[in-house]
Amino acid sequence: MAVAPINLPAYQRAERKLLITVAEWTEGSTQVREILGRRTEDSSIDYNADIETTTDILGINYTDINRTQPQQDFDPFLVIGGSQLAAKLNDIRRRNAISELDQFTVYIITAFIGDATNGYAAEKQTGCTIAYNSIGGDANVNFPISVYYSNNITTGTVDKLSDDFAFTPD
């Protein structure tokens, strides 16, 4: 399989808005999606690799990566009008139904690979956990969250850069 090229002019940096995280869950029989990051100034996916480094008797270092445990924090994640995810998480918090926090599908869309004609590169991870870390704040209600990725990945493409996309597996 050929590696897809980055769709930017030579030496132009990809803007952060071209890495899109979308949460998906089901309410009754309705599929709900929300793009994460509104009003969040900085958010990166941390892979938290389990790394083991050894040195043999010749002094040569070897590094093994046993697994990754990807996580992404959204702080602040403000409670704002129209956020269905904030409402969902607050309902889970109020009922102390923490077992429901691991029932999310999360899409990572790399909009700097692909285009509107052929689709944008994406991965779909099922069985992800979205956990709330606290609630409160000073002038506004902050509800910071952490997304814990499952590593149960299906690669594919999405047809558009909005929350009503169609995902097509590779």
Side-chain angles (χ1 to χ4, degrees):
M1 179 175 138
V3 174
I6 293 176
N7 63 9
L8 299 170
Y11 308 109
Q12 179 180 326
R13 297 181 343 183
E15 296 178 56
R16 176 57 182 87
K17 67 183 181 181
L18 297 177
L19 181 64
I20 303 166
T21 305
V22 180
E24 178 183 88
W25 65 97
T26 303
E27 290 291 335
S29 61
T30 304
Q31 176 182 306
V32 181
R33 288 185 183 148
E34 185 169 320
I35 297 173
L36 302 180
R38 185 167 309 280
R39 308 285 307 258
T40 302
E41 294 130 18
D42 181 23
S43 182
S44 300
I45 301 170
D46 298 316
Y47 285 93
N48 305 314
D50 178 16
I51 298 173
E52 182 180 325
T53 303
T54 57
T55 305
D56 69 12
I57 60 173
L58 301 174
I60 299 171
N61 293 325
Y62 295 92
T63 303
D64 294 317
I65 297 179
N66 298 317
R67 68 180 180 275
T68 61
Q69 297 173 318
Q71 167 189 340
Q72 187 172 10
D73 296 322
F74 292 88
D75 187 3
F77 178 75
L78 299 175
V79 175
I80 57 176
S83 175
Q84 295 180 69
L85 181 60
K88 171 80 172 170
L89 293 174
N90 190 55
D91 178 63
I92 291 171
R93 180 196 63 80
R94 289 180 62 236
R95 294 181 296 110
N96 196 28
I98 58 174
S99 64
E100 295 176 20
L101 293 172
D102 66 355
Q103 299 175 7
F104 292 91
T105 296
V106 178
Y107 296 86
I108 301 169
I109 303 168
T110 48
F112 49 86
I113 299 176
D115 55 42
T117 303
N118 300 306
Y120 299 95
E123 62 187 67
K124 173 182 179 180
Q125 294 200 28
T126 57
C128 297
T129 298
I130 299 179
Y132 48 85
N133 301 319
S134 63
I135 190 168
D138 50 10
N140 299 297
V141 178
N142 188 12
F143 199 29
I145 61 172
S146 295
V147 176
Y148 297 91
Y149 293 95
S150 65
N151 279 336
N152 186 7
I153 300 169
T154 303
T155 60
T157 57
V158 296
D159 61 339
K160 54 185 157 180
L161 301 177
S162 61
D163 59 7
D164 63 342
F165 58 81
F167 177 80
T168 304
D170 286 341

